[in-house]
Amino acid sequence: MSDAVSALNGAEFNGLAKVVETGLGGMITLRGDLASDRIKAAVKAATGTEVPATRRIAIGAAGAAAWMSPDELLLMVEYDRVGAVVAKLGEDLAGAHHMAVNVSDARACFAVSGPAAREVIAKVAPVDLAPGQFEAGDFRRTRFAQVAGAFWLDEAGVFHIVCFRSVAAYMFNLLSTAAHPHAKVGVYA
Amino acid sequence: MKRYSAFAVAREGLRYHSGWDRAWRAAAPKRHYDVIIVGAGGHGLATAYYLGKNFGITNVAVIEKGWLGGGNTGRNTTIIRSNYLQDPSAAIYEKARSLYEGLSQDFNYNVMFSPRGVIMLAQTEHEVRGYKRTAHANALQGVATEWIEPARVKELVPIINLDGPRYPVLGGLWQERGGTARHDAVAWGYARACSDMGMDIIQQCEVTGVRTENGRVIGVETTKGAIDCDKLGMVVAGNCSVLSQMAGFRLPVESVALQALVSEPIKPCMDVVVMANTVHGYMSQSDKGEMVIGGGTDGYNNYTQRGSFHHIEETVRALVETFPMVSRLKMLRQWGGIVDVTGDRSPLISKTPVQNCFVNAGWGTGGFKAIPGSGWAMAELMATGHSPLAEAFSMTRFKEGRFIDESVAAGVAH
Amino acid sequence: MLILECPYCGVHAEETELQAGGEAHLKRFGPGSSDEAFHDYLFLRENPRGVHLERWRHVNGCGKWFHAARCTQTLEVFGTYRAQTSAPPQDIRDKITAKRPGWTWREFEG
């Protein structure tokens, strides 16, 4: 089998913030009745986390679960484990109305870190990023300039972005431009 | 009314310009008119003008809730062209364009018609094919347009960037006799000529009701009292749904905001009109030197004459791609107008379910260029009950499946 | 800039995250209905100057369709509500009535 590679091979930019393409991530779209006990149990088994609250991400030992919409989660596990996890979800949810699909290779992932990370995201997404309005564990689907994307903030203060692989280069260029050393606004400073 | 002439300018120059007449009379409504036109914009005034000029009907009132030419007539980007694909559109827009050529002489009033040429850029293979087809169609329709290659585009528009980051310029549809005119002057010229024929132009007079009897219109209620009429023409663009509701019928239109903006004035740099429909930006340079820029419509119903800011961003982005030199320009003003859009993006010039009540609406984002032709056809329809130019634009075309699908042919900037 | 609250994810989304979907609560007329009804369904849309009920989609967000009650004359938003209804709910009607007493929209009124 051929070696899987990420869209930009770990491209990196250092400016006001550090922008990194974080490589391959295992991602599963899970749709179903998020309030049902069977989904809750299946998510727990797959990622070790509870079903996240609205617009939140739950991060556990074996992975993470992010709230995408009232009937959809994004499960994140190690890239190599995705096949097994999807199979397990199929078993756990057999007979329950659901859908679990491996979307890992349809996506690209980025991390934006550093003191100006908040400002870099705020420049390109129509989201209130004021401290207190967007905090660790918050998850948001939105647009980044002209493309769709989702992002969350982790406990270490790093923003993680997920978008379609086909627009990975656009996203990297966009974030790098927003993080250009001469582009400081200082709105959250 | 005194005629304008070089001699008159010289004479008035010697007496502190104290001898000019008002261009049109302020009028109070009479009890009855043969024809009432609602809406003193370009299309309404042109309708009144051709009723008088072509059919001798001069007992006419043009009533307006705001001020004359204060709606879309005073808010558009003044582009005049007739390079349409469909026969009915090409016919009426070409009629309008050819009337524009003689309008200043007709009125004895300078509407500053400037046939400087209009290029519609082709930036995708589909557009190339589409515009070549339009050029062939225009040849059959008697509209002078031609397909031009990128080198010729660059010759006509030296400031253009042929190989933009997203869409290269692959050629263009060139209409040499297209151009611009001074939009206010068109309304003022028509108003002056109408007033001169004895018609009453009544401003700040809002229609509050339409009176009908046995399915036939008999007059209107206004903020200046009831006025009787034999025939009624509704020519109010964005507000046509509101007015038609008063008369008891519905129109197949939705009203949305369309925006435009102008830059600070700069030295002459572009002497044609350029439209880039794929990236959606169009631009010309006014006599004052301002770059006049057309924007996009919002996707939702809106009567506020105010559009959303992100459309400005999109438009400016498109222009910076196409004309990199404008990236350093400051924008001076931005405004919006309410345009009424039909399902097939073509207008309505039509009889209505109410007898003797006629409607001229639905010009969407491209009404200014049609003003003389639209007024000509509407006047003919109102005076005689039939107009070859207007026939295809009947509001019954939707029921009959005879759409005039220019939205497909012309793209966004229609 | 129009801001609507998505009733599904609670985001106060500005309009670049949203897509307008036209008149709300349409009744579909297809084969078997009269020409008149089919014409009206295809081509006639409510175009009020004032209270308007619309469909919107949180397209750059949770992806869900929802409804909005809005004034086209002032851009005031009265409220948003879920898609799974064929009529505006009472609380939305009350909100509109509080601001626009005597409002009517198609077959609905305050």
Side-chain angles (χ1 to χ4, degrees):
Chain A
M1 210 179 132
S2 57
D3 284 339
V5 291
S6 67
L8 303 178
N9 248 328
E12 216 178 294
F13 177 85
N14 278 291
L16 295 176
K18 184 176 175 185
V19 180
V20 187
E21 196 232 9
T22 49
L24 296 168
M27 279 181 238
I28 300 158
T29 287
L30 176 64
R31 299 193 79 155
D33 177 2
L34 302 187
S36 72
D37 291 337
R38 293 189 64 188
I39 289 262
K40 286 177 182 170
V43 170
K44 187 89 180 174
T47 64
T49 68
E50 305 299 324
V51 167
T54 301
R55 293 205 326 267
R56 295 283 291 175
I57 185 170
I59 300 172
W67 191 93
M68 296 288 274
S69 87
D71 56 2
E72 180 180 339
L73 296 179
L74 180 66
L75 305 184
M76 284 170 268
V77 296
E78 279 168 33
Y79 185 79
D80 296 332
R81 275 186 59 221
V82 170
V85 172
V86 170
K88 177 78 166 35
L89 285 167
E91 287 166 24
D92 289 354
L93 296 171
H97 184 64
H98 81 287
M99 180 181 80
V101 182
N102 176 1
V103 294
S104 312
D105 295 328
R107 301 282 165 81
C109 310
F110 297 87
V112 181
S113 56
R118 209 173 259 279
E119 173 175 314
V120 168
I121 307 288
K123 279 180 186 174
V124 291
V127 177
D128 185 355
L129 278 147
Q133 294 298 313
F134 198 94
E135 287 301 334
D138 281 340
F139 181 90
R140 181 78 147 78
R141 285 173 80 180
T142 182
R143 68 177 175 93
F144 286 78
Q146 298 184 61
V147 298
F151 72 99
W152 71 94
L153 180 60
D154 71 15
E155 295 292 343
V158 178
F159 285 91
H160 299 265
I161 296 165
V162 176
C163 68
F164 285 111
R165 186 182 174 113
S166 57
V167 294
Y170 176 90
M171 181 66 85
F172 181 74
N173 289 340
L174 178 75
L175 293 170
S176 306
T177 305
H180 191 279
H182 294 169
K184 187 173 170 63
V185 179
V187 65
Y188 300 127
Chain B
M1 184 180 59
K2 286 184 190 139
R3 283 182 62 80
Y4 295 141
S5 65
F7 173 72
V9 172
R11 182 191 63 215
E12 291 304 323
L14 294 174
R15 53 177 189 178
Y16 302 100
H17 294 280
S18 58
W20 297 114
D21 291 337
R22 283 185 173 274
W24 58 88
R25 290 173 291 111
K30 293 192 286 189
R31 183 66 215 157
H32 173 270
Y33 292 93
D34 293 344
V35 175
I36 290 178
I37 304 292
V38 186
H43 292 264
L45 291 164
T47 301
Y49 175 73
Y50 294 112
L51 276 172
K53 187 174 185 229
N54 295 353
F55 301 98
I57 301 170
T58 56
N59 185 20
V60 175
V62 184
I63 58 183
E64 165 63 47
K65 78 171 176 180
W67 69 95
L68 187 153
N72 296 339
T73 301
R75 294 164 189 267
N76 62 82
T77 51
T78 80
I79 298 169
I80 295 165
R81 60 183 177 89
S82 57
N83 51 354
Y84 281 73
L85 178 68
Q86 308 289 349
D87 289 346
S89 320
I92 196 161
Y93 289 106
E94 177 62 11
K95 176 72 181 172
R97 195 204 56 76
S98 62
L99 286 170
Y100 264 121
E101 292 199 325
L103 217 52
S104 295
Q105 288 74 17
D106 223 21
F107 290 162
N108 173 236
Y109 191 93
N110 188 3
V111 300
M112 299 164 75
F113 176 61
S114 162
R116 58 183 66 184
V118 176
I119 301 179
M120 290 171 74
L121 299 178
Q123 295 182 286
T124 64
E125 289 296 336
H126 316 338
E127 265 188 316
V128 171
R129 282 196 290 273
Y131 286 153
K132 283 183 174 172
R133 182 184 174 207
T134 303
H136 290 309
N138 288 162
L140 296 172
Q141 292 151 346
V143 177
T145 64
E146 61 177 313
W147 168 258
I148 57 174
E149 300 293 333
R152 175 91 171 113
V153 173
K154 186 76 182 171
E155 203 178 293
L156 289 162
V157 193
I159 65 169
I160 204 166
N161 179 20
L162 291 181
D163 37 46
R166 288 191 299 168
Y167 296 102
V169 174
L170 303 172
L173 182 65
W174 169 236
Q175 184 173 23
E176 198 168 5
R177 299 297 294 171
T180 61
R182 174 77 202 279
H183 51 357
D184 297 321
V186 172
W188 297 337
Y190 274 119
R192 178 169 174 266
C194 287
S195 181
D196 195 35
M197 284 189 276
M199 297 178 184
D200 286 347
I201 297 163
I202 305 157
Q203 301 184 70
Q204 295 179 341
C205 175
E206 183 174 356
V207 171
T208 54
V210 175
R211 292 185 296 136
T212 58
E213 208 174 80
N214 303 324
R216 166 191 289 265
V217 73
I218 55 167
V220 291
E221 305 283 351
T222 76
T223 49
K224 293 189 176 178
I227 314 175
D228 295 341
C229 67
D230 297 337
K231 290 179 181 175
L232 179 68
M234 298 178 171
V235 198
V236 295
N239 273 304
C240 63
S241 293
V242 179
L243 199 55
S244 74
Q245 207 90 33
M246 291 178 193
F249 61 92
R250 297 174 71 190
L251 290 174
V253 302
E254 290 192 83
S255 300
V256 297
L258 174 68
Q259 295 180 82
L261 57 160
V262 294
S263 74
E264 60 190 333
I266 53 175
K267 287 185 177 177
C269 64
M270 192 175 81
D271 60 0
V272 298
V273 180
V274 180
M275 315 183 70
N277 291 343
T278 294
V279 294
H280 202 166
Y282 45 104
M283 186 164 86
S284 63
Q285 188 168 22
S286 74
D287 291 345
K288 285 184 282 183
E290 298 164 339
M291 304 310 287
V292 183
I293 297 164
T297 54
D298 292 329
Y300 54 85
N301 302 44
N302 184 348
Y303 281 87
T304 61
Q305 295 187 321
R306 200 175 68 186
S308 295
F309 187 74
H310 68 269
H311 288 295
I312 300 292
E313 186 189 337
E314 282 160 21
T315 299
V316 170
R317 183 165 64 216
L319 290 175
V320 170
E321 262 179 62
T322 318
F323 309 99
M325 65 163 271
V326 306
S327 67
R328 297 292 164 142
L329 273 185
K330 293 183 182 71
M331 293 299 147
L332 209 60
R333 301 188 293 282
Q334 162 270 341
W335 63 92
I338 300 305
V339 301
D340 44 335
V341 178
T342 61
D344 62 3
R345 303 296 186 269
S346 288
L348 308 167
I349 307 174
S350 180
K351 294 179 184 174
T352 69
V354 177
Q355 231 186 323
N356 289 346
C357 176
F358 302 82
V359 67
N360 181 340
W363 290 95
T365 60
F368 176 75
K369 66 175 89 71
I371 284 173
S374 157
W376 184 285
M378 180 76 172
E380 190 171 34
L381 180 68
M382 291 187 74
T384 67
H386 177 74
S387 166
L389 274 181
E391 199 173 7
F393 296 103
S394 161
M395 62 190 275
T396 60
R397 72 173 181 270
F398 296 101
K399 192 170 289 175
E400 294 157 1
R402 294 184 295 105
F403 312 123
I404 307 167
D405 252 332
E406 291 292 355
S407 52
V408 181
V412 271
H414 175 42
Chain C
M1 188 67 72
L2 196 60
I3 295 175
L4 300 176
E5 181 180 355
C6 171
Y8 293 96
C9 64
V11 163
H12 289 260
E14 59 125 298
E15 65 177 279
T16 62
E17 267 193 22
L18 303 168
Q19 175 144 10
E23 182 179 339
H25 310 306
L26 284 180
K27 287 198 184 71
R28 282 158 183 80
F29 293 90
S33 54
S34 68
D35 282 1
E36 203 66 41
F38 190 50
H39 167 267
D40 291 1
Y41 162 57
L42 282 180
F43 299 110
L44 291 189
R45 289 290 173 269
E46 288 300 309
N47 188 25
R49 187 184 180 103
V51 173
H52 195 27
L53 305 179
E54 293 172 317
R55 297 186 308 157
W56 284 82
R57 185 174 175 230
H58 194 186
V59 63
N60 282 317
C62 71
K64 296 298 178 192
W65 284 94
F66 60 93
H67 286 121
R70 210 167 56 80
C71 175
T72 62
Q73 192 167 16
T74 60
L75 296 187
E76 181 175 6
V77 177
F78 302 114
T80 55
Y81 54 103
R82 290 171 162 260
Q84 289 79 8
T85 172
S86 54
Q90 193 56 46
D91 65 313
I92 293 290
R93 293 186 195 209
D94 292 344
K95 280 180 189 166
I96 303 173
T97 306
K99 296 283 182 60
R100 302 284 188 280
W103 66 278
T104 62
W105 186 86
R106 231 173 53 194
E107 70 268 34
F108 306 116
E109 56 189 34

